[in-house]
Amino acid sequence: MAQYEALYGRKCRIPIGWFDDGENKLVGPELVQQATKKIKLIQERVVSVDDVQVTEQLSYEKTPIAILDRQVQRLRAKDVISMKVLWRNNNVEEMTWEDEKDMKSRYPHLFPLPEEDPTETSQP
């Protein structure tokens, strides 16, 4: 078994297999040009390995940028609050729904404390 096949569980597709069945008549320089274009397209879309900061646990840290939305779901007798969070890892942005309690404990800076109302009076 080849290393690629052992690692990914499938056979390696050589550049000839990158094209549709109708395109299989390409030969010589045309084949090389088509393969080169496909490789350049892939390279433009793939994030540089040097840009990703990987931890010892082989994971990377996403940074929350903003909370975009909030929803409350009623599950039996309990309300579950979810928040739509905009994340950034390097130049890639994605949005996910996260638990509000978890987000408040991990990222308190996203939740400013409510200001006190000056019209309220406190009694001793």
Side-chain angles (χ1 to χ4, degrees):
M1 180 180 292
Q3 290 178 343
Y4 184 92
E5 189 175 348
L7 183 61
Y8 296 105
R10 59 185 168 88
K11 293 193 180 285
C12 178
R13 292 181 60 195
I14 59 175
I16 293 172
W18 289 356
F19 308 103
D20 295 331
D21 290 337
E23 298 178 354
N24 62 358
K25 295 181 183 175
L26 295 173
V27 291
E30 296 167 346
L31 177 64
V32 174
Q33 282 182 331
Q34 288 289 333
T36 304
K37 286 180 184 177
K38 299 269 183 177
I39 290 170
K40 286 182 181 179
L41 179 66
I42 291 169
Q43 288 174 340
E44 289 171 1
R45 292 183 178 172
V46 174
V47 175
S48 172
V49 176
D50 297 332
D51 293 341
V52 178
Q53 302 294 326
V54 179
T55 66
E56 291 179 12
Q57 293 80 23
L58 299 179
S59 63
Y60 59 90
E61 184 70 27
K62 295 189 291 185
T63 306
I65 299 171
I67 296 174
L68 304 176
D69 197 3
R70 186 173 183 263
Q71 70 180 8
V72 179
Q73 293 179 335
R74 184 93 173 150
L75 300 177
R76 296 186 186 169
K78 183 179 179 183
D79 287 339
V80 177
I81 303 172
S82 299
M83 312 187 96
K84 190 173 190 178
V85 181
L86 177 63
W87 298 91
R88 177 173 291 147
N89 179 36
N90 297 323
N91 296 330
V92 180
E93 292 184 351
E94 65 177 353
M95 294 174 278
T96 59
W97 286 96
E98 303 291 336
D99 180 60
E100 182 184 51
K101 289 180 183 177
D102 182 47
M103 289 299 294
K104 281 185 176 181
S105 66
R106 292 172 51 203
Y107 307 102
H109 65 279
L110 292 176
F111 303 91
L113 296 173
E115 295 181 21
E116 291 186 23
D117 188 357
T119 61
E120 291 182 13
T121 58
S122 58
Q123 296 182 0

Short mmCIF file of all heavy atoms in Angstrom, two decimals, residues 41-100:
data_model
loop_
_atom_site.label_atom_id
_atom_site.label_comp_id
_atom_site.label_asym_id
_atom_site.label_seq_id
_atom_site.Cartn_x
_atom_site.Cartn_y
_atom_site.Cartn_z
N LEU A 41 -4.61 27.50 -9.15
CA LEU A 41 -5.89 27.79 -8.52
C LEU A 41 -5.93 27.23 -7.10
O LEU A 41 -6.35 27.90 -6.16
CB LEU A 41 -7.03 27.21 -9.36
CG LEU A 41 -8.44 27.41 -8.83
CD1 LEU A 41 -8.80 28.89 -8.85
CD2 LEU A 41 -9.43 26.61 -9.64
N ILE A 42 -5.46 26.00 -6.94
CA ILE A 42 -5.43 25.38 -5.60
C ILE A 42 -4.50 26.15 -4.68
O ILE A 42 -4.84 26.43 -3.53
CB ILE A 42 -4.99 23.90 -5.72
CG1 ILE A 42 -6.09 23.09 -6.42
CG2 ILE A 42 -4.66 23.32 -4.35
CD1 ILE A 42 -5.67 21.69 -6.81
N GLN A 43 -3.33 26.54 -5.16
CA GLN A 43 -2.37 27.27 -4.33
C GLN A 43 -2.90 28.62 -3.89
O GLN A 43 -2.63 29.08 -2.78
CB GLN A 43 -1.05 27.43 -5.07
CG GLN A 43 -0.27 26.14 -5.20
CD GLN A 43 0.97 26.28 -6.05
OE1 GLN A 43 1.09 27.22 -6.86
NE2 GLN A 43 1.89 25.35 -5.90
N GLU A 44 -3.67 29.28 -4.75
CA GLU A 44 -4.23 30.58 -4.39
C GLU A 44 -5.27 30.46 -3.29
O GLU A 44 -5.43 31.37 -2.48
CB GLU A 44 -4.85 31.24 -5.62
CG GLU A 44 -3.84 31.71 -6.64
CD GLU A 44 -4.49 32.16 -7.93
OE1 GLU A 44 -5.73 32.13 -8.04
OE2 GLU A 44 -3.74 32.54 -8.85
N ARG A 45 -5.99 29.34 -3.26
CA ARG A 45 -7.05 29.14 -2.28
C ARG A 45 -6.53 28.53 -0.97
O ARG A 45 -7.14 28.69 0.06
CB ARG A 45 -8.13 28.23 -2.85
CG ARG A 45 -8.89 28.89 -3.96
CD ARG A 45 -9.99 28.02 -4.45
NE ARG A 45 -10.74 28.69 -5.50
CZ ARG A 45 -11.66 28.11 -6.22
NH1 ARG A 45 -11.97 26.85 -6.01
NH2 ARG A 45 -12.29 28.77 -7.15
N VAL A 46 -5.40 27.75 -0.95
CA VAL A 46 -4.88 27.06 0.25
C VAL A 46 -4.19 28.05 1.16
O VAL A 46 -3.41 28.85 0.75
CB VAL A 46 -3.93 25.93 -0.15
CG1 VAL A 46 -3.27 25.30 1.04
CG2 VAL A 46 -4.66 24.87 -0.95
N VAL A 47 -4.50 28.06 2.50
CA VAL A 47 -3.89 28.94 3.49
C VAL A 47 -2.44 28.49 3.69
O VAL A 47 -2.16 27.31 3.79
CB VAL A 47 -4.64 28.86 4.84
CG1 VAL A 47 -3.95 29.66 5.92
CG2 VAL A 47 -6.06 29.32 4.65
N SER A 48 -1.54 29.44 3.78
CA SER A 48 -0.13 29.12 3.99
C SER A 48 0.06 28.41 5.32
O SER A 48 -0.46 28.83 6.35
CB SER A 48 0.71 30.39 3.97
OG SER A 48 2.03 30.11 4.35
N VAL A 49 0.82 27.35 5.30
CA VAL A 49 1.06 26.56 6.52
C VAL A 49 1.80 27.40 7.56
O VAL A 49 1.59 27.26 8.76
CB VAL A 49 1.87 25.29 6.18
CG1 VAL A 49 2.22 24.50 7.42
CG2 VAL A 49 1.11 24.43 5.19
N ASP A 50 2.65 28.31 7.12
CA ASP A 50 3.41 29.15 8.04
C ASP A 50 2.51 30.13 8.79
O ASP A 50 2.86 30.59 9.88
CB ASP A 50 4.49 29.92 7.29
CG ASP A 50 5.52 28.99 6.66
OD1 ASP A 50 5.72 27.88 7.21
OD2 ASP A 50 6.10 29.36 5.63
N ASP A 51 1.36 30.49 8.21
CA ASP A 51 0.46 31.46 8.83
C ASP A 51 -0.37 30.87 9.97
O ASP A 51 -0.88 31.60 10.81
CB ASP A 51 -0.50 32.05 7.80
CG ASP A 51 0.24 32.90 6.79
OD1 ASP A 51 1.37 33.33 7.09
OD2 ASP A 51 -0.32 33.14 5.71
N VAL A 52 -0.53 29.56 10.01
CA VAL A 52 -1.37 28.93 11.02
C VAL A 52 -0.54 28.60 12.24
O VAL A 52 0.46 27.90 12.16
CB VAL A 52 -2.02 27.64 10.46
CG1 VAL A 52 -2.87 26.96 11.51
CG2 VAL A 52 -2.84 27.96 9.22
N GLN A 53 -0.96 29.12 13.39
CA GLN A 53 -0.28 28.85 14.66
C GLN A 53 -0.90 27.61 15.29
O GLN A 53 -2.01 27.65 15.76
CB GLN A 53 -0.42 30.05 15.60
CG GLN A 53 0.13 31.35 15.03
CD GLN A 53 1.63 31.30 14.84
OE1 GLN A 53 2.35 30.68 15.61
NE2 GLN A 53 2.11 31.95 13.80
N VAL A 54 -0.17 26.51 15.30
CA VAL A 54 -0.68 25.24 15.80
C VAL A 54 -0.15 25.01 17.22
O VAL A 54 1.04 25.20 17.48
CB VAL A 54 -0.27 24.08 14.88
CG1 VAL A 54 -0.78 22.76 15.40
CG2 VAL A 54 -0.75 24.33 13.47
N THR A 55 -1.05 24.58 18.13
CA THR A 55 -0.64 24.31 19.51
C THR A 55 -0.03 22.92 19.62
O THR A 55 0.00 22.15 18.66
CB THR A 55 -1.86 24.40 20.45
OG1 THR A 55 -2.76 23.33 20.13
CG2 THR A 55 -2.56 25.74 20.32
N GLU A 56 0.43 22.57 20.82
CA GLU A 56 1.00 21.25 21.05
C GLU A 56 -0.03 20.15 20.86
O GLU A 56 0.31 19.01 20.56
CB GLU A 56 1.59 21.17 22.46
CG GLU A 56 2.83 22.03 22.64
CD GLU A 56 3.38 21.96 24.05
OE1 GLU A 56 2.95 21.08 24.81
OE2 GLU A 56 4.25 22.77 24.37
N GLN A 57 -1.32 20.47 21.04
CA GLN A 57 -2.39 19.50 20.85
C GLN A 57 -2.83 19.41 19.39
O GLN A 57 -3.85 18.82 19.08
CB GLN A 57 -3.61 19.85 21.72
CG GLN A 57 -3.38 19.72 23.21
CD GLN A 57 -2.64 20.93 23.79
OE1 GLN A 57 -2.67 22.02 23.22
NE2 GLN A 57 -1.96 20.73 24.89
N LEU A 58 -2.05 20.03 18.49
CA LEU A 58 -2.33 20.05 17.05
C LEU A 58 -3.68 20.69 16.74
O LEU A 58 -4.45 20.21 15.93
CB LEU A 58 -2.26 18.64 16.46
CG LEU A 58 -0.90 17.96 16.60
CD1 LEU A 58 -0.94 16.56 16.00
CD2 LEU A 58 0.19 18.78 15.93
N SER A 59 -3.96 21.79 17.41
CA SER A 59 -5.16 22.57 17.12
C SER A 59 -4.73 24.03 16.94
O SER A 59 -3.59 24.38 17.19
CB SER A 59 -6.18 22.44 18.26
OG SER A 59 -5.64 22.97 19.45
N TYR A 60 -5.67 24.87 16.51
CA TYR A 60 -5.37 26.28 16.35
C TYR A 60 -6.45 27.10 17.04
O TYR A 60 -7.56 26.63 17.23
CB TYR A 60 -5.22 26.68 14.88
CG TYR A 60 -6.45 26.42 14.06
CD1 TYR A 60 -7.43 27.38 13.92
CD2 TYR A 60 -6.63 25.20 13.42
CE1 TYR A 60 -8.57 27.15 13.18
CE2 TYR A 60 -7.78 24.95 12.68
CZ TYR A 60 -8.73 25.93 12.56
OH TYR A 60 -9.85 25.70 11.83
N GLU A 61 -6.11 28.32 17.38
CA GLU A 61 -7.01 29.20 18.13
C GLU A 61 -7.76 30.12 17.18
O GLU A 61 -7.16 30.86 16.41
CB GLU A 61 -6.22 30.03 19.14
CG GLU A 61 -7.05 30.90 20.02
CD GLU A 61 -7.87 30.12 21.04
OE1 GLU A 61 -7.47 29.02 21.41
OE2 GLU A 61 -8.93 30.63 21.45
N LYS A 62 -9.08 30.06 17.25
CA LYS A 62 -9.91 31.01 16.52
C LYS A 62 -10.22 32.16 17.47
O LYS A 62 -10.38 31.96 18.66
CB LYS A 62 -11.22 30.36 16.06
CG LYS A 62 -11.03 29.25 15.07
CD LYS A 62 -12.32 28.79 14.48
CE LYS A 62 -13.18 28.07 15.49
NZ LYS A 62 -14.39 27.50 14.94
N THR A 63 -10.34 33.36 16.93
CA THR A 63 -10.62 34.53 17.74
C THR A 63 -12.02 35.05 17.42
O THR A 63 -12.33 35.32 16.27
CB THR A 63 -9.60 35.64 17.42
OG1 THR A 63 -8.29 35.10 17.58
CG2 THR A 63 -9.77 36.82 18.33
N PRO A 64 -12.87 35.20 18.47
CA PRO A 64 -14.19 35.77 18.21
C PRO A 64 -14.08 37.27 17.97
O PRO A 64 -13.40 37.98 18.70
CB PRO A 64 -14.97 35.47 19.49
CG PRO A 64 -13.93 35.36 20.54
CD PRO A 64 -12.69 34.85 19.88
N ILE A 65 -14.74 37.74 16.93
CA ILE A 65 -14.70 39.16 16.59
C ILE A 65 -15.94 39.88 17.12
O ILE A 65 -15.84 40.95 17.71
CB ILE A 65 -14.61 39.35 15.07
CG1 ILE A 65 -13.35 38.70 14.56
CG2 ILE A 65 -14.66 40.82 14.69
CD1 ILE A 65 -13.27 38.65 13.06
N ALA A 66 -17.10 39.28 16.88
CA ALA A 66 -18.35 39.95 17.26
C ALA A 66 -19.46 38.93 17.42
O ALA A 66 -19.40 37.82 16.89
CB ALA A 66 -18.74 40.97 16.20
N ILE A 67 -20.48 39.34 18.15
CA ILE A 67 -21.69 38.55 18.28
C ILE A 67 -22.71 39.17 17.34
O ILE A 67 -23.05 40.34 17.46
CB ILE A 67 -22.17 38.54 19.74
CG1 ILE A 67 -21.11 37.84 20.58
CG2 ILE A 67 -23.52 37.86 19.83
CD1 ILE A 67 -21.35 37.86 22.04
N LEU A 68 -23.19 38.37 16.40
CA LEU A 68 -24.06 38.88 15.35
C LEU A 68 -25.55 38.71 15.64
O LEU A 68 -26.36 39.50 15.16
CB LEU A 68 -23.73 38.19 14.03
CG LEU A 68 -22.28 38.28 13.58
CD1 LEU A 68 -22.06 37.47 12.32
CD2 LEU A 68 -21.87 39.72 13.37
N ASP A 69 -25.91 37.67 16.39
CA ASP A 69 -27.31 37.38 16.62
C ASP A 69 -27.45 36.58 17.90
O ASP A 69 -26.48 36.03 18.42
CB ASP A 69 -27.88 36.60 15.42
CG ASP A 69 -29.39 36.61 15.36
OD1 ASP A 69 -30.02 37.28 16.20
OD2 ASP A 69 -29.95 35.94 14.47
N ARG A 70 -28.67 36.50 18.39
CA ARG A 70 -28.96 35.77 19.62
C ARG A 70 -30.31 35.12 19.48
O ARG A 70 -31.23 35.70 18.92
CB ARG A 70 -28.99 36.78 20.78
CG ARG A 70 -29.13 36.20 22.14
CD ARG A 70 -28.97 37.34 23.15
NE ARG A 70 -29.02 36.86 24.49
CZ ARG A 70 -30.09 36.86 25.27
NH1 ARG A 70 -31.22 37.38 24.82
NH2 ARG A 70 -30.05 36.39 26.49
N GLN A 71 -30.43 33.86 19.96
CA GLN A 71 -31.71 33.18 19.89
C GLN A 71 -31.92 32.37 21.17
O GLN A 71 -30.98 31.90 21.78
CB GLN A 71 -31.80 32.27 18.67
CG GLN A 71 -30.93 31.04 18.72
CD GLN A 71 -31.06 30.20 17.47
OE1 GLN A 71 -31.68 30.59 16.50
NE2 GLN A 71 -30.46 29.03 17.48
N VAL A 72 -33.19 32.24 21.56
CA VAL A 72 -33.56 31.47 22.74
C VAL A 72 -34.42 30.31 22.28
O VAL A 72 -35.42 30.50 21.59
CB VAL A 72 -34.34 32.34 23.76
CG1 VAL A 72 -34.72 31.52 24.97
CG2 VAL A 72 -33.51 33.56 24.15
N GLN A 73 -34.01 29.11 22.67
CA GLN A 73 -34.78 27.92 22.34
C GLN A 73 -35.30 27.30 23.63
O GLN A 73 -34.56 27.17 24.60
CB GLN A 73 -33.92 26.89 21.60
CG GLN A 73 -33.49 27.36 20.23
CD GLN A 73 -32.62 26.33 19.54
OE1 GLN A 73 -31.98 25.51 20.17
NE2 GLN A 73 -32.61 26.38 18.22
N ARG A 74 -36.55 26.94 23.61
CA ARG A 74 -37.19 26.34 24.79
C ARG A 74 -37.07 24.82 24.67
O ARG A 74 -37.60 24.22 23.73
CB ARG A 74 -38.65 26.75 24.85
CG ARG A 74 -39.36 26.26 26.06
CD ARG A 74 -39.27 27.33 27.10
NE ARG A 74 -40.09 26.97 28.24
CZ ARG A 74 -39.81 27.35 29.44
NH1 ARG A 74 -38.79 28.15 29.65
NH2 ARG A 74 -40.55 27.00 30.45
N LEU A 75 -36.34 24.20 25.58
CA LEU A 75 -36.21 22.75 25.62
C LEU A 75 -36.79 22.26 26.94
O LEU A 75 -36.22 22.50 28.00
CB LEU A 75 -34.74 22.33 25.51
CG LEU A 75 -34.01 22.76 24.24
CD1 LEU A 75 -32.56 22.36 24.30
CD2 LEU A 75 -34.67 22.15 23.02
N ARG A 76 -37.95 21.60 26.83
CA ARG A 76 -38.72 21.16 28.00
C ARG A 76 -38.97 22.36 28.91
O ARG A 76 -39.68 23.26 28.54
CB ARG A 76 -38.02 20.02 28.70
CG ARG A 76 -37.93 18.78 27.84
CD ARG A 76 -37.37 17.62 28.57
NE ARG A 76 -37.19 16.50 27.64
CZ ARG A 76 -36.55 15.44 27.91
NH1 ARG A 76 -36.01 15.29 29.11
NH2 ARG A 76 -36.43 14.49 27.03
N ALA A 77 -38.39 22.38 30.08
CA ALA A 77 -38.64 23.49 31.01
C ALA A 77 -37.43 24.41 31.11
O ALA A 77 -37.31 25.18 32.05
CB ALA A 77 -38.98 22.94 32.39
N LYS A 78 -36.55 24.33 30.13
CA LYS A 78 -35.31 25.10 30.20
C LYS A 78 -35.13 25.94 28.93
O LYS A 78 -35.38 25.47 27.83
CB LYS A 78 -34.13 24.12 30.34
CG LYS A 78 -32.79 24.76 30.51
CD LYS A 78 -31.73 23.68 30.67
CE LYS A 78 -30.37 24.32 30.82
NZ LYS A 78 -29.31 23.32 30.90
N ASP A 79 -34.67 27.17 29.10
CA ASP A 79 -34.34 28.03 27.97
C ASP A 79 -32.85 27.90 27.67
O ASP A 79 -32.01 28.00 28.57
CB ASP A 79 -34.65 29.50 28.28
CG ASP A 79 -36.14 29.79 28.29
OD1 ASP A 79 -36.89 29.00 27.68
OD2 ASP A 79 -36.54 30.79 28.89
N VAL A 80 -32.53 27.66 26.41
CA VAL A 80 -31.14 27.57 25.97
C VAL A 80 -30.87 28.77 25.06
O VAL A 80 -31.53 28.95 24.05
CB VAL A 80 -30.87 26.26 25.21
CG1 VAL A 80 -29.44 26.22 24.71
CG2 VAL A 80 -31.17 25.06 26.10
N ILE A 81 -29.88 29.57 25.45
CA ILE A 81 -29.55 30.78 24.70
C ILE A 81 -28.31 30.51 23.84
O ILE A 81 -27.28 30.10 24.35
CB ILE A 81 -29.29 31.97 25.64
CG1 ILE A 81 -30.50 32.20 26.52
CG2 ILE A 81 -28.95 33.22 24.84
CD1 ILE A 81 -30.28 33.22 27.62
N SER A 82 -28.46 30.75 22.55
CA SER A 82 -27.35 30.58 21.60
C SER A 82 -27.03 31.92 20.97
O SER A 82 -27.90 32.76 20.81
CB SER A 82 -27.73 29.58 20.50
OG SER A 82 -28.02 28.34 21.05
N MET A 83 -25.77 32.06 20.59
CA MET A 83 -25.31 33.30 19.98
C MET A 83 -24.58 32.98 18.68
O MET A 83 -23.81 32.03 18.62
CB MET A 83 -24.36 34.02 20.92
CG MET A 83 -24.90 34.12 22.32
SD MET A 83 -23.87 35.11 23.34
CE MET A 83 -24.75 36.64 23.16
N LYS A 84 -24.87 33.77 17.67
CA LYS A 84 -24.17 33.62 16.40
C LYS A 84 -22.89 34.45 16.48
O LYS A 84 -22.93 35.67 16.62
CB LYS A 84 -25.05 34.10 15.24
CG LYS A 84 -24.50 33.76 13.89
CD LYS A 84 -25.52 34.12 12.83
CE LYS A 84 -25.13 33.58 11.48
NZ LYS A 84 -26.16 33.91 10.48
N VAL A 85 -21.74 33.78 16.40
CA VAL A 85 -20.45 34.41 16.63
C VAL A 85 -19.66 34.45 15.32
O VAL A 85 -19.61 33.46 14.59
CB VAL A 85 -19.65 33.64 17.69
CG1 VAL A 85 -18.30 34.31 17.95
CG2 VAL A 85 -20.43 33.53 18.98
N LEU A 86 -19.06 35.60 15.06
CA LEU A 86 -18.16 35.75 13.92
C LEU A 86 -16.74 35.49 14.41
O LEU A 86 -16.28 36.14 15.35
CB LEU A 86 -18.27 37.17 13.33
CG LEU A 86 -17.34 37.50 12.18
CD1 LEU A 86 -17.64 36.60 10.97
CD2 LEU A 86 -17.45 38.95 11.80
N TRP A 87 -16.09 34.49 13.82
CA TRP A 87 -14.74 34.08 14.22
C TRP A 87 -13.75 34.47 13.14
O TRP A 87 -14.08 34.53 11.97
CB TRP A 87 -14.68 32.57 14.39
CG TRP A 87 -15.56 32.01 15.44
CD1 TRP A 87 -16.83 31.57 15.27
CD2 TRP A 87 -15.25 31.81 16.81
NE1 TRP A 87 -17.33 31.10 16.46
CE2 TRP A 87 -16.38 31.23 17.42
CE3 TRP A 87 -14.13 32.06 17.59
CZ2 TRP A 87 -16.42 30.90 18.77
CZ3 TRP A 87 -14.16 31.72 18.93
CH2 TRP A 87 -15.28 31.15 19.51
N ARG A 88 -12.51 34.66 13.56
CA ARG A 88 -11.43 34.90 12.59
C ARG A 88 -10.23 34.05 12.98
O ARG A 88 -9.83 34.01 14.13
CB ARG A 88 -11.02 36.36 12.54
CG ARG A 88 -9.84 36.56 11.57
CD ARG A 88 -9.47 37.99 11.33
NE ARG A 88 -10.53 38.64 10.57
CZ ARG A 88 -10.86 39.92 10.71
NH1 ARG A 88 -10.24 40.66 11.57
NH2 ARG A 88 -11.82 40.44 9.99
N ASN A 89 -9.70 33.37 11.99
CA ASN A 89 -8.43 32.69 12.12
C ASN A 89 -7.60 33.13 10.93
O ASN A 89 -7.90 32.77 9.80
CB ASN A 89 -8.60 31.17 12.12
CG ASN A 89 -7.27 30.47 12.23
OD1 ASN A 89 -6.37 30.93 12.91
ND2 ASN A 89 -7.11 29.37 11.52
N ASN A 90 -6.60 33.92 11.20
CA ASN A 90 -5.80 34.55 10.14
C ASN A 90 -6.73 35.39 9.27
O ASN A 90 -7.40 36.26 9.75
CB ASN A 90 -5.02 33.51 9.36
CG ASN A 90 -4.03 32.80 10.25
OD1 ASN A 90 -3.45 33.41 11.13
ND2 ASN A 90 -3.85 31.52 10.05
N ASN A 91 -6.83 35.11 8.01
CA ASN A 91 -7.67 35.90 7.11
C ASN A 91 -9.00 35.24 6.82
O ASN A 91 -9.77 35.73 6.02
CB ASN A 91 -6.93 36.16 5.79
CG ASN A 91 -5.70 37.00 6.00
OD1 ASN A 91 -5.65 37.82 6.90
ND2 ASN A 91 -4.69 36.79 5.18
N VAL A 92 -9.29 34.12 7.47
CA VAL A 92 -10.51 33.37 7.20
C VAL A 92 -11.54 33.72 8.26
O VAL A 92 -11.26 33.72 9.45
CB VAL A 92 -10.23 31.85 7.24
CG1 VAL A 92 -11.48 31.06 6.97
CG2 VAL A 92 -9.15 31.49 6.23
N GLU A 93 -12.76 34.05 7.80
CA GLU A 93 -13.85 34.36 8.73
C GLU A 93 -14.95 33.32 8.58
O GLU A 93 -15.24 32.87 7.46
CB GLU A 93 -14.41 35.75 8.46
CG GLU A 93 -13.44 36.86 8.81
CD GLU A 93 -14.04 38.24 8.63
OE1 GLU A 93 -15.14 38.35 8.07
OE2 GLU A 93 -13.40 39.21 9.05
N GLU A 94 -15.54 32.92 9.70
CA GLU A 94 -16.66 31.99 9.68
C GLU A 94 -17.60 32.32 10.83
O GLU A 94 -17.22 32.97 11.79
CB GLU A 94 -16.18 30.54 9.77
CG GLU A 94 -15.51 30.20 11.07
CD GLU A 94 -15.12 28.73 11.14
OE1 GLU A 94 -15.48 27.94 10.26
OE2 GLU A 94 -14.43 28.39 12.10
N MET A 95 -18.85 31.88 10.70
CA MET A 95 -19.85 32.13 11.74
C MET A 95 -20.37 30.79 12.26
O MET A 95 -20.60 29.86 11.48
CB MET A 95 -21.01 32.94 11.16
CG MET A 95 -20.60 34.34 10.75
SD MET A 95 -21.92 35.22 9.91
CE MET A 95 -21.74 34.57 8.27
N THR A 96 -20.55 30.72 13.58
CA THR A 96 -21.11 29.53 14.20
C THR A 96 -22.06 29.93 15.32
O THR A 96 -21.98 31.05 15.83
CB THR A 96 -20.01 28.62 14.81
OG1 THR A 96 -19.28 29.38 15.80
CG2 THR A 96 -19.05 28.12 13.75
N TRP A 97 -22.96 29.01 15.69
CA TRP A 97 -23.83 29.22 16.84
C TRP A 97 -23.17 28.60 18.06
O TRP A 97 -22.76 27.45 18.03
CB TRP A 97 -25.20 28.59 16.60
CG TRP A 97 -26.03 29.37 15.63
CD1 TRP A 97 -26.15 29.15 14.30
CD2 TRP A 97 -26.83 30.51 15.93
NE1 TRP A 97 -26.99 30.09 13.74
CE2 TRP A 97 -27.43 30.93 14.72
CE3 TRP A 97 -27.12 31.22 17.10
CZ2 TRP A 97 -28.29 32.03 14.64
CZ3 TRP A 97 -27.97 32.31 17.02
CH2 TRP A 97 -28.54 32.71 15.81
N GLU A 98 -23.06 29.38 19.14
CA GLU A 98 -22.38 28.94 20.36
C GLU A 98 -23.29 29.17 21.56
O GLU A 98 -24.15 30.05 21.55
CB GLU A 98 -21.08 29.72 20.56
CG GLU A 98 -20.10 29.64 19.41
CD GLU A 98 -19.48 28.27 19.23
OE1 GLU A 98 -19.43 27.50 20.22
OE2 GLU A 98 -19.06 27.96 18.11
N ASP A 99 -23.04 28.40 22.62
CA ASP A 99 -23.77 28.55 23.87
C ASP A 99 -23.36 29.86 24.56
O ASP A 99 -22.17 30.15 24.68
CB ASP A 99 -23.48 27.36 24.79
CG ASP A 99 -24.21 27.45 26.10
OD1 ASP A 99 -25.46 27.50 26.09
OD2 ASP A 99 -23.52 27.51 27.15
N GLU A 100 -24.35 30.62 25.02
CA GLU A 100 -24.07 31.93 25.63
C GLU A 100 -23.22 31.80 26.89
O GLU A 100 -22.26 32.55 27.08
CB GLU A 100 -25.38 32.65 25.96
CG GLU A 100 -25.13 34.04 26.55
CD GLU A 100 -26.40 34.75 26.97
OE1 GLU A 100 -27.20 34.13 27.70
OE2 GLU A 100 -26.58 35.90 26.56
#
